[in-house]
Amino acid sequence: MNRKIWKALGIAVCMLALAAPRAMAKTYEVGEDALFIKFGDAVDEINKSGDTENEIVLMQDITLGGNYILTNSKKTTIKTTTIKGEGHTITVNPGAGITVAKKGTVLNLGANGYDGTLTIDGKTSGGFVSVLEGATANMYEHVTLQNWQFVGNACVVIMGSDSVFNMHGGVIEKCSRAVMADSGTTFHMLGGKILNCVSGNDGGGIFLYKATFIMDGGIISGCEGLLGGGLYAKNSSKITITGGTVTATGGSSGAGIGGGREGKGENITITGGEVTAAGGTNGAGIGGGLRKNGEKITVSGDATLKVQGGPADEGDGAGAGIGNGGSHNGDYPEPCIPVNGAETEPDTSNLTTGKIEYYAPGADMTKDKPTSTTLGSGQPEPVSPGETAAPVEYRMQTSAS
């Protein structure tokens, strides 16, 4: 068979391949009325179908009375489901929620470039959204998760090794916790806002247990926990902040960012963004909670920090700005002497145009002067504060060798 015939056969095979039918995205119009499919029925159809791209479009406000699980039986195929709100609200009743499970299963709340709003509200003991067993969930602009209040859980729960929640935009607000990430999981925040999440337990904004948090953008503000910080990391969890804005406050005996009550704060890397962290009573701004150390903390690049240790109480000392939580000498019930937490110099060898401002416990970080400032190697020489101002210790960071 000559070369021309082989070429003709090759072209024919390619044309047949292009003409072959492909699995098309399927759209499910969901509502409460009989005219529309119910949310649970749509989930069942998606799980049974071979469609790799699916859309659930809300035609009305709906209420969830059960836990609906999106999954994927084919390990070699990625199955994606996108929920588009069209201006409607999903109310989650107790015990209900939306779960995405198993590798290759993807849930999108909203979509990139889509401007229809979606609101998820309600009361449930679990999360509004749970990401399990290696699945992935993405949240986009114009999506709001709000008013979830239940001690011990979160609006978004990530569990199971390699499970990932990517927050590209939207708002999570007024929740006991915004996000809880368990062992081997990742929460990646690229945009959006986490606002006013206050927990009666550990970690108001974010709770990490042997998990990873990466923040490349967005805002975290007004978040705190009763026993831990606004950004609480436990058991060798890792925190990396490269951009965005964070304001985190520790609860009773917890660090603003790091360990909770009697919890160590470690593996914290900040290379950019603006971070304000204040410890709760006895807690460090960034680092350890009550009687625990802060270590393996790196601040570099153009990161700008304001840090403040929490105040002392009658038993234990004040927390460090960056470093250890307060502690005491002696054993109860004998009289104890409070000991302030030691400042642990973070690794600032690659701090360039950024800076770290340290504030005394109880100071107003919006009005008062810092007690000391570490300036990056690219910062201009500081101007003397003058004789009438409170003395400020300036420390210039030399360039890394």
Side-chain angles (χ1 to χ4, degrees):
M1 195 176 289
N2 62 35
R3 189 173 298 175
K4 290 184 178 179
I5 295 175
W6 278 113
K7 184 176 181 180
L9 285 172
I11 293 172
V13 170
C14 290
M15 292 180 68
L16 285 171
L18 290 170
R22 300 182 182 183
M24 301 297 290
K26 182 69 180 287
T27 298
Y28 299 85
E29 295 184 343
V30 170
E32 301 284 8
D33 292 347
L35 181 63
F36 307 112
I37 188 171
K38 299 294 188 290
F39 187 90
D41 294 335
V43 170
D44 289 341
E45 290 297 319
I46 290 169
N47 289 339
K48 287 187 279 187
S49 78
D51 297 314
T52 58
E53 297 286 338
N54 302 275
E55 287 186 352
I56 293 176
V57 180
L58 298 188
M59 308 305 292
Q60 298 173 316
D61 294 347
I62 64 171
T63 298
L64 301 186
N67 185 33
Y68 301 102
I69 303 173
L70 288 159
T71 189
N72 184 2
S73 60
K74 297 181 180 180
K75 296 182 178 179
T76 58
T77 303
I78 296 175
K79 179 178 279 191
T80 301
T81 301
T82 300
I83 300 177
K84 293 184 174 180
E86 292 291 297
H88 296 295
T89 297
I90 298 175
T91 300
V92 183
N93 279 346
I98 303 169
T99 296
V100 54
K102 295 186 179 180
K103 288 186 177 181
T105 315
V106 179
L107 170 65
N108 293 329
L109 300 175
N112 187 26
Y114 171 71
D115 60 3
T117 63
L118 168 65
T119 301
I120 302 180
D121 201 333
K123 298 178 180 179
T124 180
S125 57
F128 286 157
V129 176
S130 297
V131 188
L132 311 179
E133 302 172 14
T136 298
N138 300 298
M139 179 172 166
Y140 293 94
E141 288 292 339
H142 310 298
V143 176
T144 301
L145 311 183
Q146 64 184 24
N147 299 328
W148 181 95
Q149 297 289 330
F150 190 90
V151 175
N153 226 312
C155 270
V156 178
V157 177
I158 320 168
M159 299 182 72
S161 183
D162 299 325
S163 297
V164 178
F165 173 53
N166 300 308
M167 187 172 179
H168 298 272
V171 179
I172 303 176
E173 63 180 350
K174 299 177 183 177
C175 299
S176 290
R177 288 179 183 149
V179 178
M180 183 173 74
D182 206 355
S183 182
T185 66
T186 299
F187 171 31
H188 192 177
M189 187 172 182
L190 301 98
K193 300 177 181 179
I194 296 176
L195 305 174
N196 303 319
C197 292
V198 179
S199 171
N201 207 317
D202 299 332
I206 300 166
F207 176 91
L208 306 172
Y209 180 85
K210 295 183 178 180
T212 298
F213 172 61
I214 303 168
M215 184 174 182
D216 294 328
I219 296 172
I220 300 174
S221 180
C223 298
E224 62 181 89
L226 176 63
L227 301 178
L231 208 172
Y232 176 57
K234 188 174 182 180
N235 286 52
S236 301
S237 293
K238 295 180 180 179
I239 295 173
T240 301
I241 300 172
T242 67
T245 303
V246 179
T247 302
T249 302
S252 176
S253 305
I257 298 175
R261 181 184 177 91
E262 297 189 350
K264 185 165 60 173
E266 59 181 349
N267 302 319
I268 301 169
T269 301
I270 305 173
T271 65
E274 297 180 3
V275 176
T276 301
T281 303
N282 313 123
I286 299 175
L290 171 68
R291 303 172 196 154
K292 292 296 181 178
N293 293 345
E295 55 190 41
K296 299 177 184 176
I297 301 170
T298 300
V299 182
S300 63
D302 62 354
T304 300
L305 277 62
K306 291 185 176 183
V307 294
Q308 178 183 57
D313 60 16
E314 66 278 2
D316 294 278
I322 298 178
N324 302 342
S327 60
H328 63 266
N329 286 330
D331 296 320
Y332 295 118
E334 299 298 324
C336 297
I337 301 174
V339 178
N340 292 340
E343 296 285 347
T344 303
E345 290 287 341
D347 179 357
T348 57
S349 57
N350 290 305
L351 185 65
T352 55
T353 56
K355 64 180 179 179
I356 307 171
E357 294 180 341
Y358 293 81
Y359 290 81
D364 184 340
M365 286 192 282
T366 65
K367 298 178 181 179
D368 296 335
K369 291 183 179 295
T371 57
S372 67
T373 301
T374 298
L375 298 172
S377 59
Q379 287 273 13
E381 289 287 342
V383 177
S384 172
E387 295 181 358
T388 60
V392 178
E393 176 192 355
Y394 288 98
R395 293 171 283 175
M396 291 295 294
Q397 175 60 51
T398 59
S399 300
S401 57

